[in-house]
Amino acid sequence: DVKVTQSSRYLVKRTGEKVFLECVQDMDHENMFWYRQDPGLGLRLIYFSYDVKMKEKGDIPEGYSVSREKKERFSLILESASTNQTSMYLCASSLFVRTGRFGQPQHFGDGTRLSIL
Amino acid sequence: AQSVSQHNHHVILSEAASLELGCNYSYGGTVNLFWYVQYPGQHLQLLLKYFSGDPLVKGIKGFEAEFIKSKFSFNLRKPSVQWSDTAEYFCAVANSGYSTLTFGKGTMLLVSP
């Protein structure tokens, strides 16, 4: 069974801090994703990566960056945390299907609830 | 760009009632369709998926969904809900040529015993 592990369930940081959220998957998936989940807004894609050192912006990339140095690990970075980045952050992974390049089922971690004070 | 609409933000049912949650997407063409569930305090889990073939797909825990291409819809159904079905449900769509999914805003289902 696919396991996606996020480094922290709860995190409290101060405004202006640089924040790192880590995610590791154990199924050799090519694709990895970062979302934020807010009540009434559903899941919004921040960034995704389809290969090591590759990244693509999602719908709401402003204020965030990502790093993928190894296939199994995908990090989300808040360069200078602000209170409007208080949210639940979800990491996911999926297989990359070369034929047709079609979105496959994504496997999610437990989430990190981040509070910025 | 693709968008996904879930008709109800909150649904309250009594145990044994039938359930139907609506999902419509905006962009046609070939799609993959998914329903995910998030139980309180747990991660999102895949309930069912449609890739091709029979438009009526069955998932885990007695859920099913029907893809109606002409209506751009993929509604989730269960004949008789249980208290343990209390959760948030998300519809998601993948378009051909893209690795990403577009999620709806979710429907919170509360089943009273």
Side-chain angles (χ1 to χ4, degrees):
Chain A
D1 208 16
V2 178
K3 184 73 174 173
V4 178
T5 303
Q6 295 184 230
S7 53
S8 307
R9 288 298 299 270
Y10 301 94
L11 207 54
V12 180
K13 296 291 181 181
R14 297 201 176 276
T15 55
E17 280 193 69
K18 191 169 186 176
V19 181
F20 294 85
L21 302 183
E22 307 287 344
C23 175
V24 176
Q25 51 95 4
D26 66 357
M27 283 301 291
D28 205 35
H29 283 170
E30 292 86 358
N31 295 330
M32 295 189 75
F33 308 84
W34 275 107
Y35 297 89
R36 61 178 285 176
Q37 181 181 15
D38 299 288
L41 297 180
L43 276 72
R44 293 180 291 167
L45 182 64
I46 304 171
Y47 268 97
F48 69 100
S49 167
Y50 55 89
D51 202 352
V52 175
K53 296 193 186 297
M54 305 303 290
K55 61 183 179 184
E56 291 202 23
K57 293 180 180 179
D59 300 318
I60 52 164
E62 297 77 19
Y64 303 94
S65 63
V66 290
S67 172
R68 192 158 181 209
E69 297 296 320
K70 293 184 178 182
K71 189 175 184 180
E72 68 271 19
R73 186 179 297 272
F74 192 36
S75 303
L76 179 69
I77 303 155
L78 285 66
E79 297 290 344
S80 177
S82 64
T83 54
N84 63 12
Q85 292 178 310
T86 291
S87 186
M88 171 71 88
Y89 289 87
L90 301 181
C91 176
S93 71
S94 73
L95 282 171
F96 178 79
V97 175
R98 299 188 188 284
T99 304
R101 198 182 169 197
F102 234 135
Q104 298 298 303
Q106 294 182 9
H107 301 265
F108 286 84
D110 288 334
T112 296
R113 188 165 293 284
L114 175 64
S115 296
I116 307 295
L117 305 178
Chain B
Q2 179 69 266
S3 66
V4 179
S5 297
Q6 292 185 236
H7 307 156
N8 307 98
H9 294 301
H10 294 90
V11 172
I12 302 173
L13 294 173
S14 300
E15 273 194 317
S18 63
L19 169 71
E20 181 159 4
L21 301 183
C23 173
N24 286 88
Y25 59 96
S26 61
Y27 176 71
T30 306
V31 291
N32 283 355
L33 299 159
F34 308 85
W35 275 98
Y36 282 85
V37 61
Q38 188 174 32
Y39 298 104
Q42 296 188 26
H43 62 272
L44 269 87
Q45 304 171 42
L46 183 67
L47 258 185
L48 47 80
K49 64 183 186 286
Y50 172 80
F51 282 8
S52 63
D54 188 344
L56 185 63
V57 292
K58 295 192 184 300
I60 60 172
K61 306 190 180 189
F63 286 90
E64 65 179 30
E66 185 176 14
F67 171 48
I68 303 179
K69 190 173 182 178
S70 61
K71 295 185 177 180
F72 298 86
S73 72
F74 190 55
N75 291 354
L76 180 71
R77 299 197 290 247
K78 186 171 184 178
S80 176
V81 294
Q82 301 172 310
W83 176 79
S84 58
D85 293 324
T86 293
E88 191 160 18
Y89 293 81
F90 294 91
C91 180
V93 178
N95 284 97
S96 176
Y98 296 89
S99 297
T100 57
L101 305 185
T102 301
F103 284 84
K105 291 190 163 91
T107 297
M108 183 68 73
L109 171 66
L110 176 62
V111 180
S112 58

